[in-house]
């Protein structure tokens, strides 16, 4: 079979799709892939056949844009709408053209959680099935709400939100549909995506949202988080450093733009020293070239979460879907210092499960971090984290299930 995979977002969005691409290749299928330009080199470096095409704008620059980070500060609703429109549809024509090229001769299109409309229109024009990876419950449900409400109340409110987003995106979508020879859209995009029978793979575990699969009637398979479990050049050095002392506390913030990295590192250094702990800091995209870590602190660019997390005392991170899954799978307690997007959702799930606690990163101080770390390092939280880890789906099984579902969807069309 031939699979076209086009995913936009950060490394956390692209890595699961890349893992699936490699698994499909291993099974003997043909794969063509498109990702944000800043992640093309990453995809090709892990073995995706070249050329991996650039898809949309640089996702890191998009993430760091003021309108993306601080949209809640915009008081005027019309300004919010324009900022969303500006961020989301500026590269829509290029994305549509790129995906149309990637999808030539494809038996199925796989996309991510965002920009599903681009993929859905190409799939409709080619009369081929579409599948999407969802990294959180993006369809109507009652499980992610902070208060319990009946589905009869949630469903119409959710539909209004979907309609509003569709109206914002409609000019770009209608332009793409004209280019593809399709009529202008007459109903919101979610209705059309679901109506065409798209396979919506939920790349997270139901342990975070008990009862979700039942609420959806088993129509959206929850397979668990998907990851490459990719080793890094510093894994051996990190393992040696860990073995030379007490297990450290891990700190990492993925692709999140942190306003003052030096201040953050100083705070982590101070707090870990106060608690008598060592700190392993994963700097990710942050510029820490001038950082001179103390003896009890080690700073690296990236690590293999699956290998390193179980060797740590606790995991402190931003609350991305993949990192949350890795931390809970590790059996170590978690402190989520969330930054934005859907991260509060994962932070609340961690707290509800009793495997850790959470706080908004911008509200975190040395004092609150000390208190939060003492909380997650309590015997009760440690024991709960170990128990919950056994309920998580192993990553190899998550990947195999997703690949099997995609083969089935492509074959049955």
């Amino acid at each position: 079979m031939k699979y076209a995979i086009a995913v936009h977002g950060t490394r956390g969005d692209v890595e699961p799709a890349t893992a699936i691409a490699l698994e499909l290749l291993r099974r003997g299928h043909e794969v063509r892939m498109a990702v944000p330009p800043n992640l093309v080199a990453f995809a090709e470096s892990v073995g995706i056949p070249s050329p991996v095409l650039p898809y949309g704008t640089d996702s890191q620059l998009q993430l760091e844009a003021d309108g993306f980070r601080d949209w809640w500060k915009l008081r005027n609703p019309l300004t919010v709408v324009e900022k969303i429109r500006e961020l989301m549809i500026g590269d829509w024509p290029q994305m549509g053209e790129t995906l149309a090229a990637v999808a030539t001769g494809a038996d199925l299109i796989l996309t991510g959680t965002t920009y599903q409309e681009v993929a859905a229109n190409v799939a409709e024009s080619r009369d081929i099935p579409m599948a999407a990876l969802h990294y959180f419950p993006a369809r109507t449900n009652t499980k992610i709400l902070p208060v319990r409400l009946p589905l009869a109340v949630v469903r119409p409110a959710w539909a209004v939100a979907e309609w509003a987003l569709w109206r914002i995106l409609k000019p770009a979508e209608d332009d793409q549909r004209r280019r593809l020879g399709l009529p202008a859209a007459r109903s919101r995009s979610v209705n059309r995506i679901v109506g065409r029978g798209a396979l919506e793979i939920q790349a997270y575990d139901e342990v975070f949202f008990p009862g979700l699969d039942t609420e959806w009637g088993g129509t959206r398979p929850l397979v668990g988080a998907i990851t490459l479990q990719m080793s890094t050049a510093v894994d051996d050095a990190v393992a040696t450093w860990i073995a030379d002392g007490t297990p450290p506390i891990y700190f990492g913030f993925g692709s999140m733009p942190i306003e003052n990295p030096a201040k953050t590192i100083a705070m982590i250094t101070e707090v870990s020293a106060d608690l008598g702990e060592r700190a392993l800091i994963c700097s990710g995209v942050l510029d820490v070239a001038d950082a001179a870590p103390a003896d009890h602190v080690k700073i690296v660019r990236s690590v293999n979460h699956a290998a390193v997390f179980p060797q740590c005392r606790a995991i402190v991170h931003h609350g991305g879907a993949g990192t949350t899954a890795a931390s809970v799978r590790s059996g170590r307690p978690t402190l989520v210092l969330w930054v934005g997007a859907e991260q509060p959702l994962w932070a609340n799930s961690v707290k509800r499960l009793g495997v850790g606690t959470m706080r908004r990163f911008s509200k975190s101080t040395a004092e609150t971090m000390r208190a939060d770390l003492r909380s997650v390092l309590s015997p009760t939280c440690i024991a709960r984290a170990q128990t919950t880890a056994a309920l998580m789906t192993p990553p190899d099984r998550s990947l195999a299930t997703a690949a099997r579902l995609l083969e089935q969807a492509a074959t049955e069309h």
Side-chain angles (χ1 to χ4, degrees), residues 49-96:
S50 181
V52 175
L53 298 184
Y55 188 58
T57 191
D58 182 308
S59 60
Q60 192 61 41
L61 293 179
Q62 187 182 55
L63 193 65
E64 294 171 0
D66 290 339
F68 188 91
R69 289 188 296 172
D70 301 330
W71 61 268
W72 58 86
K73 295 181 180 179
L74 304 173
R75 304 288 184 180
N76 189 331
L78 293 178
T79 304
V80 174
V81 169
E82 286 307 311
K83 285 293 184 181
I84 294 174
R85 195 194 308 274
E86 177 184 325
L87 284 167
M88 294 197 66
I89 73 176
D91 291 289
W92 198 296
Q94 182 269 336
M95 295 174 78

Side-chain angles (χ1 to χ4, degrees), residues 202-221:
Q202 311 302 305
Y204 50 87
D205 273 281
E206 191 177 11
V207 67
F208 294 109
F209 310 103
L212 180 62
D213 188 49
T214 300
E215 185 167 285
W216 280 340
T219 58
R220 300 183 175 96

Side-chain angles (χ1 to χ4, degrees), residues 80-403:
V80 174
V81 169
E82 286 307 311
K83 285 293 184 181
I84 294 174
R85 195 194 308 274
E86 177 184 325
L87 284 167
M88 294 197 66
I89 73 176
D91 291 289
W92 198 296
Q94 182 269 336
M95 295 174 78
E97 292 175 6
T98 298
L99 182 50
V102 170
T104 300
D107 296 292
L108 181 141
I109 294 174
L110 173 64
T111 190
T113 304
T114 58
Y115 296 104
Q116 290 184 41
E117 301 85 355
V118 177
N121 291 329
V122 174
E124 182 183 343
S125 71
R126 303 290 174 85
D127 191 28
I128 58 176
M130 186 195 90
L133 289 173
H134 288 189
Y135 304 125
F136 62 94
R139 298 294 182 240
T140 308
N141 71 90
T142 65
K143 305 303 179 181
I144 69 171
L145 303 176
V147 295
R148 291 188 177 184
L149 293 174
L151 191 58
V153 173
V154 173
R155 186 178 287 115
W158 205 291
V160 169
E162 290 174 347
W163 179 87
L165 179 61
W166 170 58
R167 294 301 304 181
I168 292 173
L169 304 179
K170 194 174 187 303
E173 186 182 9
D174 281 348
D175 179 65
Q176 181 198 12
R177 291 178 66 85
R178 277 194 301 272
R179 294 170 185 268
L180 293 170
L182 297 172
R186 301 297 182 189
S187 63
R188 66 184 191 271
S189 52
V190 172
N191 276 5
R192 287 176 280 119
I193 290 170
V194 174
R196 288 196 76 242
L199 170 63
E200 297 181 325
I201 298 174
Q202 311 302 305
Y204 50 87
D205 273 281
E206 191 177 11
V207 67
F208 294 109
F209 310 103
L212 180 62
D213 188 49
T214 300
E215 185 167 285
W216 280 340
T219 58
R220 300 183 175 96
L222 281 76
V223 305
I226 299 169
T227 176
L228 286 168
Q229 302 184 80
M230 188 173 66
S231 60
T232 73
V234 301
D235 285 348
D236 289 343
V238 169
T240 299
W241 179 79
I242 291 175
D244 283 344
T246 57
I249 298 174
Y250 170 92
F251 295 84
F253 300 96
S255 301
M256 293 299 102
I258 302 301
E259 187 173 347
N260 193 330
K263 182 179 178 182
T264 299
I265 290 174
M267 181 169 66
I268 291 171
T269 300
E270 174 193 340
V271 170
S272 56
D274 289 347
L275 296 177
E277 304 284 353
R278 296 199 298 163
L280 173 62
I281 301 175
C282 184
S283 61
V285 301
L286 304 180
D287 182 6
V288 295
D290 296 332
D295 290 342
H296 68 289
V297 175
K298 186 175 183 63
I299 302 176
V300 295
R301 179 67 64 182
S302 63
V303 295
N304 181 348
H305 289 172
V308 170
F309 282 6
Q311 302 179 61
C312 296
R313 282 263 284 153
I315 316 297
V316 181
H317 62 82
H318 60 295
T323 312
T324 300
S327 66
V328 177
R329 274 173 173 162
S330 75
R332 300 296 179 261
T334 297
L335 168 58
V336 176
L337 300 179
W338 62 270
V339 178
E342 82 282 6
Q343 294 161 17
L345 175 66
W346 296 110
N348 281 315
S349 292
V350 163
K351 189 170 184 178
R352 179 185 56 78
L353 285 169
V355 300
T357 190
M358 48 82 76
R359 190 179 301 275
R360 186 171 181 172
F361 177 83
S362 62
K363 302 297 184 182
S364 186
T365 65
E367 182 178 357
T368 64
M369 186 179 287
R370 273 191 294 270
D372 290 339
L373 285 173
R374 287 193 178 103
S375 172
V376 302
L377 290 171
S378 69
T380 300
C381 192
I382 291 173
R384 183 60 181 167
Q386 293 170 346
T387 301
T388 305
L391 305 177
M392 297 287 286
T393 307
D396 290 344
R397 189 193 306 167
S398 298
L399 179 58
T401 302

